[in-house]
């Protein structure tokens, strides 16, 4: 049984865990942790389990909730930046350019029915769209860069200016695609990604789903592999 697991099951799980996209998602979402922890400090202070604490704070409790709204309310946006940065780094692309294009794409995807940016989707509700849009954006940029489809300038041009023109065509294409889907077709990208990925969330929100996840993590640990790192991207 152990030999079967080591020869058949573990290599598959390791290969999944080493997938470029999953590694980028795992590392990119890690960037949200400092903001979550920082926001948690203010959340704890505003809600200390001490009798009369809320009355003592009075209106100041609303002031303490501001950092919570900013940190927890920007998880999706931060994840989009982190994922695109890590994926671009793995694919040997310019990290900053890919991150900036992803931010613009993510913002356009969060437009409401009045074509204004819905900041409510910057948080956890926009996390799924942040993951998908980050990956798609970076791969679209890679498609143009690897095929030399970009504006070429002389070598004498400063590197920052050169990179901005290299990113111009991929950025325009990414924006046109999302603009067409979200504005012209009036298709809610954020709601769509949330819908199609909701079974995964629901599955891991059940006892069998969590047992399966813990079993796979423990199995990898038994084989000398960091199970949490391998499966946290999923």
């Amino acid at each position: 049984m152990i030999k079967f697991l080591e020869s058949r099951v573990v290599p598959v799980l390791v290969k999944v865990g080493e997938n470029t996209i999953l590694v980028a998602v795992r590392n990119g979402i890690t960037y949200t942790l400092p903001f979550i922890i920082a926001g948690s400090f203010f959340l704890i202070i505003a809600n200390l389990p001490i009798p009369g604490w809320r009355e003592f704070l009075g209106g100041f409790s609303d002031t303490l909730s501001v950092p919570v709204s900013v940190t927890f309310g920007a998880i999706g946006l931060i994840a989009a930046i982190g994922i695109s940065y890590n994926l671009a780094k793995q694919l040997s692309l310019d990290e900053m350019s890919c991150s900036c294009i992803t931010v613009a794409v993510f913002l356009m995807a969060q437009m409401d029915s009045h074509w204004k940016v819905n900041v409510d989707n910057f948080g956890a509700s926009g996390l799924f769209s942040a993951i998908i849009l980050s990956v798609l954006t970076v791969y679209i940029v890679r498609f143009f860069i690897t095929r030399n489809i970009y504006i070429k300038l002389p070598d004498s041009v400063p590197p920052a200016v050169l990179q901005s023109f290299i990113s111009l065509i991929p950025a325009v294409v990414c924006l046109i695609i999302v603009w067409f889907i979200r504005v012209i077709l009036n298709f809610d990208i954020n709601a769509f990604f949330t819908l199609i990925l909701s079974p995964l969330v629901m599955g891991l929100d059940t006892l069998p789903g969590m047992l399966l996840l813990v079993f796979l993590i423990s199995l990898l640990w038994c084989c000398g592999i960091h199970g949490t790192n391998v499966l946290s991207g999923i």
Side-chain angles (χ1 to χ4, degrees):
M1 183 65 179
I2 297 298
K3 290 184 178 180
F4 171 77
L5 293 175
E6 290 180 347
S7 61
R8 299 291 183 181
V9 179
V10 173
V12 175
L13 294 177
V14 173
K15 190 173 182 180
V16 171
E18 293 176 348
N19 180 270
T20 301
I21 296 176
L22 291 180
V23 171
V25 172
R26 180 189 67 201
N27 295 339
I29 292 181
T30 303
Y31 285 111
T32 65
L33 291 180
F35 300 93
I36 294 174
I37 296 173
S40 298
F41 283 124
F42 290 92
L43 185 63
I44 292 171
I45 294 174
N47 297 276
L48 285 175
I50 300 175
W53 179 253
R54 294 299 297 267
E55 290 75 11
F56 171 74
L57 291 177
F60 191 67
S61 61
D62 294 333
T63 306
L64 288 173
S65 67
V66 173
V68 180
S69 300
V70 172
T71 51
F72 283 84
I75 291 175
L77 179 60
I78 296 170
I81 297 172
I83 295 169
S84 59
Y85 183 92
N86 278 277
L87 185 56
K89 187 175 182 179
Q90 292 188 71
L91 298 177
S92 300
L93 301 173
D94 185 74
E95 299 93 342
M96 187 58 66
S97 297
C98 289
S99 296
C100 291
I101 297 173
T102 299
V103 169
V105 168
F106 179 77
L107 292 177
M108 185 173 292
Q110 309 311 320
M111 292 289 181
D112 58 18
S113 57
H114 302 289
W115 311 128
K116 294 182 180 180
V117 178
N118 184 6
V119 296
D120 292 336
N121 289 334
F122 284 10
S125 61
L127 188 57
F128 286 149
S129 61
I131 294 172
I132 303 298
L133 291 173
S134 299
V135 173
L136 292 178
T137 299
V138 173
Y139 272 95
I140 289 175
V141 173
R142 182 173 180 262
F143 174 85
F144 284 91
I145 299 301
T146 55
R147 288 164 176 75
N148 295 319
I149 306 175
Y150 55 83
I151 299 176
K152 299 178 176 63
L153 297 176
D155 295 335
S156 58
V157 176
V161 177
L162 179 62
Q163 184 58 51
S164 64
F165 276 90
I166 291 176
S167 305
L168 179 58
I169 294 179
V172 171
V173 171
C174 290
L175 289 172
I176 289 176
I177 292 174
V178 179
W179 167 78
F180 181 80
I181 296 174
R182 181 66 190 97
V183 180
I184 302 301
L185 299 182
N186 196 21
F187 184 81
D188 194 333
I189 299 174
N190 190 66
F192 174 71
F193 289 144
T194 301
L195 178 63
I196 62 174
L197 293 175
S198 58
L200 178 61
V201 177
M202 294 176 63
L204 289 176
D205 199 29
T206 62
L207 180 58
M210 287 305 301
L211 288 175
L212 177 61
L213 177 63
V214 173
F215 169 75
L216 293 176
I217 291 175
S218 302
L219 175 64
L220 289 173
W221 274 112
C222 291
C223 298
I225 299 170
H226 199 305
T228 306
N229 276 354
V230 171
L231 296 178
S232 62
I234 301 175

